[in-house]
Amino acid sequence: MLTKLRDIVHNVASSSDVKQALNTLVRETCMAMETECCSVYIADHDREMYDLMATQGLNKRARRISLKFNEGLVGLVGRRAEPINLAHASTHADFKHFPGIGEDIFHSFLGTPIIYRRKVLGVLVVQQHESRQFDESEESFLVTLAAQLAVVFAHAKAQGFWPNNAKGALLLQGAAASPGVAIAQAWCDVSQPRLDLVSPASCLDVEKERDRLDGAMSAAISDFRRLRKRFDSELNQETLAIFDLFIHLLNDPMLRKSMNKCIESGDLAEWAVRQTIDSFAERFQKMSDPYLRERSSDVKELGQRLLYFLENQEIKQWQFDKPIILFARELTAAMLAAIPRDLLAGVVAEEGAVNAHAAILARALGIPAVMGVEFSPQLVHRKPLILDGFKGKVLVEPADHVRAEYERLRDEELELQQEVESAFTKHTKTADGVRIEIHLNAGLSADTSIAINRGVDGVGLYRTEVPFLMQRSFPSEEEQVNQYRSILDSYPKQPVVMRTLDIGGDKPLPYLKIEEDNPFLGWRGIRFTLDHPDIFLIQVRAMLRASIGRENLSILLPMISGVSELLDAKSLIDRAFEEVSELAEQSNQTLKMPRIGIMVEVPSVLYQFDAIAPHIDFLSVGTNDLTQYLLAVDRNNARVADVYDTFHPSVLAVLQMILAASQRLKLPVSVCGEFAGDPIGALLLVGMGYRHLSMNTRSVAKIKYVLRHIPSDALKTHVEKMQSFAIAGDIRKASEDFLEHYNLGGLIRVGK
Ligand code: PEP
Ligand code: MG
């Protein structure tokens, strides 16, 4: 039986066309189960109907046979999401008679749902003339088959190899990562040839091959020169140095000699490049200095570039005359930076989830984004599409009326945004006058917009990782001082909370490989910096030096899990303070001790507030990681994105507990996770009693607008009501209705 099962799944999966695959499925299932009829019904969730897609045994003729979700035995299988096995099907209350399809002659019925990630994709049915109960082994055969088919179907659906839905467009579903609607052409970034896929090949004309290689090398050199020039004013010297290294390597006689030697021995240029690059990369890989070891990946990147120019005569640049929607396997900060903001309408990524740092960055830049979307480049590249960042949907080649509908939505969104922004510069008060401080989360985008943010009460979270992530080595103390000083000076009269380095997890440093099975539970945040006091001291000293003569610096420590980490970090801060104080004295200036706070994001600190409080000045709640660690769910894993839910009653209970502790201990508290920038999140937090929220630039206007329209006592009552809800979805729904009641529903058109 197992072999039969494997064969059916294999044959279905290897069919190139869905109709053919489904016909194969019903035919082979009939044979394997020795029954006379097998049919497969596919669910259309928009129409709430099952369509009979293929059958062996029923008379389908040319007409379309569809059943409502609440009709017939097939509907019952779908609703109950479990198999139904009947010896006398026609006597069952849910049996529905379709005239003319010849079902009357079948008495026994066994139907099982095809379920993928809790969603019924269809129903698989076998039927037989004689009245008999299918036995247990037959039932488990069909259930196992359906489970395996579900994966095949889901994959086909994601790849677009699936019958069109009612709207005629291919629909790709992912997680809503950054709100907004984008309507533009898709652009898939799969342009990089892969060095690891080049295999041995020989050439006939050595001279010609050498010319090809020379041409590719010159083209690569001028491309690197062009890039260097282009980024000259935007990137710092360290980052630009990578282009110099590439140019230097391309001019290196050793490298050239090695490639030419391969060609002379009869190798094709591509194969010559691969062999040479592999051996150079290996040489770097073996070096003991981590910085030099990292050059190994630069050499490989260089090889990719040469391959590109062997295949392409010209320097193909990403030059768009119209905005595009970028599709990538993995979205990186560099990709977002490479395309001018006005030409990047939206982004779709296969890897990652809504709280991956790339998604946070997209939100900060106001670029609609959908993450966790499986796509097939040939089905989307250059196709017109709609990206719905509210619902996490991508519609490829939408019908005109659907497009018109989305254009209307986008225009409404713009109008709303303008209205919202008109309240931007005023202080935030609830409708009954309770003052709420709104701070900014900055740093991820490494942009300069931080200086133009009016209407905020300071910076609640400055993520210092960006310069560390963008460069090819640790930024120097001097570079850090300049960077931090410009931020402190952008907010001379307001607090600026700078967080010490929080790398690790999903923010690996390009020049310091950390290989771990569970990076989020591993060497990240304060754990890393305490093990590297040199890096920590340089950073804290840079922050303190930047704050000489200023009064607005606060230092925030990430990933604190207990008192000893805090004390260790504080003693390093004290040491840096002494050193920098001396410096300040020498120039007759003063250095003020910054306020020190911790991120509340590792659940263990929830039980240590009393012990921690005497050592700190404030708390900052990181709901992104707190949710991840409380619910034991990876914030970046698209597969469990639906489990990652900040509206989970336990998360809300913990947020209330933190507030109560902060009030008891008279410790100021703010919330700086993404939850604070979500309209429903913000209203729940203010309803609980939080008065300081910190969020991305893009959320500021929206949150101010929401809070100004609702009185604080109504928010409090709403939160009290939510305490009786045990399910996250119910809390979200009731909160959406609450916003709707204040005519603010337009601000949250979120799918989830
Ligand atoms: C958080 O964890 O909520 C947070 C604000 O920090 P980050 O997203 O940078 O981990
Ligand atoms: Mg965090």
Side-chain angles (χ1 to χ4, degrees):
M1 243 4 200
L2 196 63
T3 334
K4 283 186 190 163
L5 196 108
R6 255 195 240 127
D7 287 349
I8 298 177
V9 175
H10 173 78
N11 293 341
V12 171
S14 49
S15 291
S16 53
D17 149 302
V18 185
K19 284 240 157 64
Q20 190 193 326
L22 297 179
N23 285 332
T24 309
L25 167 69
V26 291
R27 196 181 56 245
E28 294 193 4
T29 307
C30 270
M31 274 189 322
M33 293 188 69
E34 292 174 1
T35 178
E36 291 123 355
C37 177
C38 173
S39 314
V40 59
Y41 296 81
I42 297 297
D44 179 337
H45 289 270
D46 285 334
R47 286 164 48 236
E48 301 200 340
M49 300 280 257
Y50 288 109
D51 295 318
L52 175 62
M53 298 301 288
T55 180
Q56 163 121 342
L58 295 184
N59 182 6
K60 190 169 178 281
R61 293 208 210 109
R63 73 189 174 101
R64 182 176 183 154
I65 294 168
S66 303
L67 280 157
K68 292 200 188 107
F69 275 1
N70 59 3
E71 258 180 357
L73 290 171
V74 169
L76 189 64
V77 172
R79 286 199 303 286
R80 293 197 10 194
E82 61 176 0
I84 292 183
N85 188 352
L86 301 169
H88 308 284
S90 56
T91 59
H92 192 282
D94 281 275
F95 179 80
K96 180 174 161 101
H97 181 245
F98 271 101
I101 66 167
E103 203 172 14
D104 333 32
I105 51 168
F106 299 115
H107 294 289
S108 36
F109 172 102
L110 169 60
T112 189
I114 303 169
I115 301 179
Y116 185 73
R117 292 207 195 149
R118 302 191 191 178
K119 195 166 181 177
V120 177
L121 300 183
V123 174
L124 184 61
V125 177
V126 287
Q127 289 169 285
Q128 191 147 351
H129 284 155
E130 59 195 71
S131 301
R132 66 143 175 140
Q133 199 91 25
F134 286 96
D135 68 24
E136 261 179 40
S137 70
E138 288 167 318
E139 191 173 319
S140 66
F141 177 85
L142 205 67
V143 169
T144 318
L145 179 61
Q148 300 205 11
L149 286 172
V151 181
V152 177
F153 284 10
H155 185 68
K157 224 171 169 169
Q159 298 282 309
F161 302 121
W162 200 248
N164 281 352
N165 66 13
K167 297 193 185 88
L170 163 65
L171 174 69
L172 305 175
Q173 182 71 51
S178 176
V181 170
I183 303 171
Q185 257 193 17
W187 184 270
C188 286
D189 174 33
V190 284
S191 56
Q192 285 289 36
R194 286 177 51 184
L195 197 63
D196 56 329
L197 297 182
V198 174
S199 43
S202 50
C203 67
L204 292 174
D205 186 344
V206 169
E207 205 53 48
K208 189 175 146 223
E209 221 46 31
R210 208 186 285 127
D211 286 350
R212 277 185 71 220
L213 182 66
D214 281 349
M217 292 192 96
S218 318
I221 291 176
S222 56
D223 187 36
F224 289 132
R225 288 215 173 102
R226 181 189 60 82
L227 284 174
R228 195 193 192 294
K229 214 161 149 200
R230 186 172 140 210
F231 288 122
D232 208 8
S233 56
E234 294 169 40
L235 299 178
N236 60 28
Q237 291 309 311
E238 286 273 0
T239 315
L240 289 173
I242 185 66
F243 298 117
D244 294 335
L245 174 79
F246 285 151
I247 296 166
H248 171 80
L249 280 172
L250 284 170
N251 285 319
D252 180 22
M254 287 266 288
L255 189 96
R256 228 170 241 265
K257 205 168 143 198
S258 163
M259 290 187 197
N260 279 333
K261 206 169 144 205
C262 294
I263 289 180
E264 267 149 35
S265 72
D267 290 341
L268 203 68
E270 282 83 353
W271 179 230
V273 169
R274 169 149 189 206
Q275 292 174 88
T276 306
I277 291 292
D278 277 357
S279 81
F280 267 63
E282 204 185 314
R283 230 176 288 160
F284 277 103
Q285 190 63 48
K286 286 190 181 137
M287 294 182 183
S288 57
D289 181 312
Y291 178 81
L292 291 176
R293 232 185 358 252
E294 179 56 27
R295 304 285 65 77
S296 162
S297 58
D298 294 338
V299 174
K300 285 193 183 133
E301 197 177 322
L302 182 77
Q304 309 275 29
R305 223 48 209 144
L306 281 178
L307 272 193
Y308 175 85
F309 286 112
L310 279 172
E311 284 166 22
N312 302 279
Q313 306 295 312
E314 295 157 24
I315 303 171
K316 264 197 241 140
Q317 292 166 28
W318 275 4
Q319 261 182 3
F320 308 110
D321 45 8
K322 281 192 298 224
I324 53 112
I325 294 174
L326 177 69
F327 276 67
R329 297 267 170 249
E330 205 174 338
L331 191 65
T332 63
M335 265 179 187
L336 289 173
I339 304 173
R341 174 64 194 93
D342 55 339
L343 291 176
L344 190 57
V347 288
V348 178
E350 192 161 290
E351 304 290 331
V354 294
N355 269 319
H357 280 93
I360 296 178
L361 180 54
R363 282 198 285 280
L365 293 170
I367 301 170
V370 181
M371 313 283 281
V373 177
E374 246 190 90
F375 64 88
S376 158
Q378 69 270 29
L379 282 168
V380 291
H381 190 53
R382 290 185 185 276
K383 297 269 168 67
L385 50 92
I386 294 171
L387 182 159
D388 181 346
F390 295 107
K391 299 229 161 73
K393 283 185 183 175
V394 180
L395 286 156
V396 185
E397 298 190 299
D400 288 349
H401 68 282
V402 179
R403 187 188 166 101
E405 181 64 18
Y406 270 97
E407 273 166 354
R408 194 185 53 73
L409 191 68
R410 186 187 55 184
D411 295 346
E412 258 178 28
E413 183 60 24
L414 275 177
E415 238 173 69
L416 186 64
Q417 186 69 18
Q418 277 157 7
E419 194 190 327
V420 163
E421 274 167 8
S422 62
F424 191 55
T425 47
K426 299 178 197 145
H427 277 322
T428 314
K429 286 187 180 150
T430 57
D432 54 343
V434 175
R435 174 87 165 91
I436 310 294
E437 287 204 18
I438 301 289
H439 295 253
L440 208 62
N441 285 355
L444 254 182
S445 57
D447 60 16
T448 48
S449 66
I450 189 164
I452 54 155
N453 279 298
R454 312 142 295 144
V456 290
D457 299 296
V459 175
L461 169 67
Y462 178 68
R463 292 181 167 103
T464 55
E465 289 81 49
V466 171
F468 288 81
L469 291 167
M470 299 287 237
Q471 296 193 183
R472 293 271 149 183
S473 63
F474 288 106
S476 68
E477 186 170 320
E478 212 53 45
E479 275 177 306
Q480 292 188 52
V481 172
N482 292 335
Q483 174 106 10
Y484 303 152
R485 190 177 287 146
S486 78
I487 289 142
L488 292 174
D489 287 349
S490 302
Y491 295 85
K493 296 200 169 58
Q494 291 170 321
V496 174
V497 179
M498 288 194 184
R499 188 172 69 183
T500 61
L501 192 60
D502 184 19
I503 51 108
D506 63 343
K507 289 178 280 188
L509 289 178
Y511 41 87
L512 191 94
K513 279 237 153 57
I514 303 175
E515 305 259 345
E516 291 177 312
D517 285 344
N518 293 305
F520 273 116
L521 301 182
W523 212 32
R524 68 168 289 207
I526 201 76
R527 303 169 184 184
F528 173 84
T529 44
L530 285 180
D531 285 352
H532 270 291
D534 46 343
I535 297 170
F536 188 75
L537 278 169
I538 289 177
Q539 184 176 41
V540 173
R541 249 196 329 257
M543 288 178 180
L544 294 171
R545 280 178 56 196
S547 90
I548 292 179
R550 295 161 184 81
E551 306 222 318
N552 55 345
L553 170 70
S554 299
I555 293 182
L556 178 60
L557 304 167
M559 293 293 296
I560 292 284
S561 66
V563 180
S564 58
E565 280 165 347
L566 172 62
L567 296 182
D568 289 348
K570 279 201 67 173
S571 79
L572 290 172
I573 295 175
D574 287 342
R575 196 168 123 192
F577 184 75
E578 261 172 47
E579 289 168 18
V580 180
S581 291
E582 273 175 33
L583 265 183
E585 267 168 38
Q586 284 162 16
S587 56
N588 276 335
Q589 285 181 293
T590 50
L591 175 69
K592 187 175 170 257
M593 184 67 178
R595 292 162 75 238
I596 308 288
I598 62 158
M599 291 284 295
V600 181
E601 53 187 349
V602 180
S604 55
V605 295
L606 300 175
Y607 303 95
Q608 290 228 285
F609 286 134
D610 288 80
I612 285 171
H615 307 289
I616 54 168
D617 304 300
F618 66 98
L619 298 171
S620 184
V621 187
T623 50
N624 307 340
D625 278 315
L626 187 59
T627 305
Q628 150 163 284
Y629 296 127
L630 202 63
L631 303 183
V633 56
D634 180 348
R635 68 194 250 187
N636 284 336
N637 186 340
R639 249 180 248 138
V640 284
D642 54 340
V643 185
Y644 182 96
D645 197 336
T646 314
F647 293 96
H648 192 295
S650 303
V651 178
L652 300 185
V654 160
L655 287 168
Q656 280 183 307
M657 170 186 166
I658 298 167
L659 184 78
S662 88
Q663 287 170 341
R664 183 170 54 79
L665 297 163
K666 303 207 173 2
L667 209 51
V669 63
S670 79
V671 181
C672 66
E674 293 293 297
F675 197 52
D678 174 303
I680 297 180
L683 74 85
L684 290 173
L685 289 168
V686 173
M688 287 176 196
Y690 283 93
R691 296 293 177 256
H692 293 78
L693 307 179
S694 190
M695 62 201 66
N696 289 326
T697 328
R698 283 278 297 178
S699 301
V700 172
K702 208 186 262 189
I703 299 303
K704 284 184 142 202
Y705 188 78
V706 168
L707 295 177
R708 294 173 73 85
H709 283 81
I710 313 178
S712 66
D713 49 356
L715 293 170
K716 190 162 177 257
T717 314
H718 176 67
V719 167
E720 280 160 9
K721 219 162 111 194
M722 292 306 98
Q723 282 165 358
S724 60
F725 286 61
I727 292 171
D730 295 344
I731 295 174
R732 185 182 293 101
K733 175 75 182 61
S735 301
E736 282 170 9
D737 293 347
F738 177 77
L739 272 184
E740 205 63 72
H741 174 77
Y742 286 92
N743 282 330
L744 298 166
L747 291 165
I748 44 145
R749 269 190 223 100
V750 281
K752 187 218 134 177

